Amino acid sequence: MLKNRVKELRARHSLTQSDLGKQVDVTRQTIAFIEKGEFSPSIMLALKLAKALQVEVNELFWLEGEKEDEK
């Protein structure tokens, strides 16, 4: 399963789901589904999200069980 920090980083940048969606050309609903882990973004969308949230892709998305600090 793909895990992510989209919600956390979006909040850190004081962005709504709609704001972030507009920046990366998707709907608010798409952002909500990504945050809940119900939708895995394309590589292009993952790159756009990482750029918008000012992090590397691997800091934003990872496979469950891959992060050292995950328990």
Side-chain angles (χ1 to χ4, degrees):
M1 176 189 253
L2 189 66
K3 299 291 207 171
N4 72 76
R5 296 174 58 212
V6 174
K7 185 174 184 176
E8 169 196 343
L9 294 171
R10 176 178 59 75
R12 189 177 292 173
H13 289 277
S14 301
L15 296 169
T16 65
Q17 290 176 336
S18 293
D19 292 336
L20 182 56
K22 286 176 187 169
Q23 286 187 29
V24 299
D25 299 317
V26 298
T27 65
R28 178 202 62 77
Q29 291 88 344
T30 299
I31 299 299
F33 284 132
I34 291 169
E35 289 180 354
K36 290 190 246 177
E38 296 177 5
F39 178 78
S40 294
S42 67
I43 293 170
M44 183 65 75
L45 180 52
L47 289 167
K48 287 180 179 182
L49 286 165
K51 183 176 182 180
L53 296 171
Q54 302 173 3
V55 294
E56 298 292 324
V57 174
N58 63 337
E59 294 176 56
L60 188 57
F61 296 99
W62 67 94
L63 291 174
E64 187 171 29
E66 282 193 352
K67 284 192 120 183
E68 288 180 21
D69 56 352
E70 185 180 10
K71 299 196 176 173

